[in-house]
Amino acid sequence: MGKRARTKGRSAGGERRRRKGQGFEASSAALPAIEALHDLPTFSDFCIGAAQLEAFEKARTATEAPDEMQIGCVVRLDRGFPLVVTADDRFRAEHAVGFAKQNKEKDDGLLPAVGDRVMVRRAPGHDMGVIEMVLPRRTAFERWRGKNRGERQVLCANVDTVLIVQALGAGEVLLGRVARSLVLARDCGAAPVVVLTKADRCEPAEVEHELERVQRLVGPEVPVLVTSSAEGRGLEQVRSAVPAGACAMILGESGAGKSTLLNALLGHEALATGAVRERDDAGRHTTVARVMVALPGDAGVIADAPGLRSLPLVGHERGLALTFPEVVQAARACRFSDCTHTHEPGCGVRAAVEAGDIDQVRLDAFLALAAEMRVSAQSLDPDIHI
């Protein structure tokens, strides 16, 4: 009786696993064919860090089938299904059952994102692989999307540079959007580069005006590049910002010209583009997958993602301090520890502004973002740790 029950249990478990595999194959069948995807990076386009290699070797030797384990890089996510490149192939993969369950229970955000280095198992003769673990990330660009419950979304892992894209010719560049993008980039350890697109829609005087406004905000250490995909302007500067072996992420709202810029860098129409609405110059989502493309020539890899309308700041005090270090430094001279840097006597920050050591534009951005983060922190549930 007991033997039959155990046998039945194994059969039921095998049936569940078989059905799960069939479900994955049915879902993945609707995804773009790998052969039809062009400009994908190869394994040699990525650098594998010492910590990642050490973690892989340690985990591989502890498995039952170490010979089936490989290091892979996630280069595309279509509806959550990872496309992985390894040293000798590229294939779709699913998450190991125990791995996915563990991540769901812990809610630690370690399900694979584009740019992740992973340990992937691929049995002989199988077309697809199984991701067993995400290897340690050097950096991770995250955005908050959990409102008051504490959920973060990793948009790109192991990113070196964030290309902050803003379009010209649709009114003044939104400095607040640029500032919060800077904070997010600095917080994850990536270098920000601002890219102003669609310069062909503006008169030269307007371009110079916007360039000056943005440069005042970001400071002298952050490059600001002016581009026109239609005219081929500034493309080499963007390409130089992503050298071979580096990974960049392109960040911007729909209609900012991200996909058009990437197509110009690639030299052909590889990514879908869409028109913008005339009434507000806003775009519709044309990028539906998170993808990575390899730039031609002696250049690196760029990750594209759907346009983001909002970039909430929650728990990014480190990024704020790294973005506006002169404000943080001057605040140490304030007479009051809770100085708001607006009206209090003995304010070191206001004194620095009057002395010309801090640009008022940068201070205004700092105060607005700091106030937003204080409000966001107060709205969190008490058991959320950021």
Side-chain angles (χ1 to χ4, degrees), residues 175-180 182-183 216-218 313 320 323-324 327 359-373:
L175 296 185
R177 174 82 182 200
V178 175
R180 69 181 58 246
L182 288 173
V183 170
R216 284 185 63 188
L217 170 70
V218 304
L313 295 181
L320 186 69
T323 303
F324 302 96
V327 178
D359 194 310
Q360 184 66 49
V361 172
R362 285 177 58 78
L363 177 59
D364 290 343
F366 173 89
L367 294 176
L369 296 179
E372 177 185 326
M373 282 192 279

Side-chain angles (χ1 to χ4, degrees), residues 293-351:
V293 294
L295 299 182
D298 189 22
V301 171
I302 294 183
D304 189 20
L308 303 175
R309 291 188 175 89
S310 64
L311 291 172
L313 295 181
V314 182
H316 293 288
E317 284 77 12
R318 174 179 175 272
L320 186 69
L322 292 173
T323 303
F324 302 96
E326 75 279 24
V327 178
V328 175
Q329 178 66 30
R332 295 171 183 167
C334 290
R335 182 183 303 176
F336 304 105
S337 60
D338 60 348
C339 183
T340 64
H341 317 309
T342 57
H343 63 277
E344 295 87 349
C347 174
V349 174
R350 296 302 312 170

Side-chain angles (χ1 to χ4, degrees), residues 14 77 89 97 135 144 165 195 200 219 247 282 293 296 308 316 329 355 366:
L77 286 177
D89 205 353
V97 175
L135 301 178
W144 184 272
V165 176
V195 181
D200 54 285
C247 172
V293 294
L308 303 175
H316 293 288
Q329 178 66 30
F366 173 89

